[in-house]
């Protein structure tokens, strides 16, 4: 996969990205909002990257792609499409804290959704985040997601206040 926007490249992971992926994963926002995507060591990150790379070309597991700034070649995060329940799919994204507030997540998600949904043959994608994650909610709204639920539900193995969105092609 290669998606190009004005400022970003969305491509496939390679093993030489492990250090940047690990550094991006341990920032405060990632620890707070998606603690299951924090890798403390380079070894953990490499194992995860091997798995993620093995998923390319399949629609059985998560499809995760790095987001790169074109000008600097910095790996600043990822966008992903993950299977959830009953044949449904969920969007995911993370931009490293030092790069937030610049519109990168919105730019990446807007570019990614039409391409990945066409490849997957799907027309609906869910977005789920913690109610306190106002930045993620703003990204989804800017990308055309409609809010469908707000309240207590299971999120990453715990009862939490969440907001659920849906995007339709």
């Amino acid at each position: 996969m290669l998606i190009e926007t004005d400022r970003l490249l969305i491509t496939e992971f390679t093993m030489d990205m492990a250090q940047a992926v690990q550094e991006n994963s341990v920032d405060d926002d990632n620890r707070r909002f998606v603690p299951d995507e924090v890798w403390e060591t380079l070894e953990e990150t490499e194992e995860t990257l091997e798995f993620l790379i093995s998923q390319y070309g399949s629609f059985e597991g998560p499809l995760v792609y790095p987001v790169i700034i074109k000008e600097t070649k910095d790996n600043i995060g990822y966008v992903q499409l993950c299977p959830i329940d009953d044949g449904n799919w969920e969007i995911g994204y993370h931009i490293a804290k030092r790069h937030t507030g610049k519109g990168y997540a919105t730019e990446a998600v807007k570019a990614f959704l039409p391409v990945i949904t066409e490849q997957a043959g799907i027309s609906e994608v869910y977005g789920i985040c913690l109610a306190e994650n106002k930045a993620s909610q703003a990204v989804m709204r800017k990308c055309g997601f409609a809010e469908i639920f707000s309240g207590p539900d299971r999120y990453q193995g715990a009862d939490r206040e969440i907001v659920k969105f849906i995007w339709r092609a």
Side-chain angles (χ1 to χ4, degrees):
M1 169 178 293
L2 179 61
I3 301 170
E4 190 170 342
T5 71
D6 289 343
R7 302 181 296 165
L8 304 174
L9 295 173
I10 299 167
T11 187
E12 294 182 356
F13 279 116
T14 56
M15 291 305 294
D16 63 344
M17 296 178 181
Q19 185 68 43
V21 171
Q22 191 275 327
E23 290 170 5
N24 290 342
S25 85
V26 295
D27 74 31
D28 293 340
D29 286 346
N30 217 34
R31 288 184 188 281
R32 181 175 169 197
F33 297 122
V34 280
D36 64 332
E37 295 176 8
V38 172
W39 302 288
E40 299 293 345
T41 68
L42 190 57
E43 182 178 274
E44 283 179 289
T45 307
E46 288 170 342
E47 289 173 13
T48 301
L49 281 182
E50 286 176 0
F51 169 72
L52 295 176
I53 291 167
S54 78
Q55 298 303 294
Y56 295 145
S58 165
F59 287 94
E60 295 176 13
L63 301 170
V64 187
Y65 300 90
V67 176
I68 312 287
I69 296 176
K70 284 171 35 175
E71 185 177 315
T72 63
K73 306 296 186 240
D74 289 340
N75 180 325
I76 62 168
Y78 63 82
V79 289
Q80 65 182 345
L81 186 69
C82 296
I84 46 178
D85 52 15
D86 300 326
N88 293 312
W89 292 84
E90 177 185 4
I91 189 79
Y93 45 87
H94 173 70
I95 300 297
K97 191 170 185 171
R98 68 187 179 281
H99 295 286
T100 59
K102 300 172 186 165
Y104 291 136
T106 300
E107 187 174 332
V109 170
K110 278 184 177 180
F112 180 68
L113 275 171
V115 174
I116 198 68
T117 56
E118 182 178 328
Q119 288 180 2
I122 60 174
S123 60
E124 292 183 343
V125 176
Y126 290 90
I128 305 164
C129 66
L130 291 173
E132 66 188 83
N133 191 343
K134 302 298 184 194
S136 189
Q137 292 176 51
V139 167
M140 285 190 262
R141 287 185 177 100
K142 289 177 193 172
C143 293
F145 283 78
E147 185 177 325
I148 57 172
F149 174 80
S150 179
D153 204 346
R154 294 295 285 174
Y155 183 81
Q156 296 190 347
D159 291 327
R160 310 283 298 272
E161 290 291 319
I162 67 161
V163 182
K164 187 183 245 187
F165 296 84
I166 192 165
W167 177 89
R168 292 185 172 98

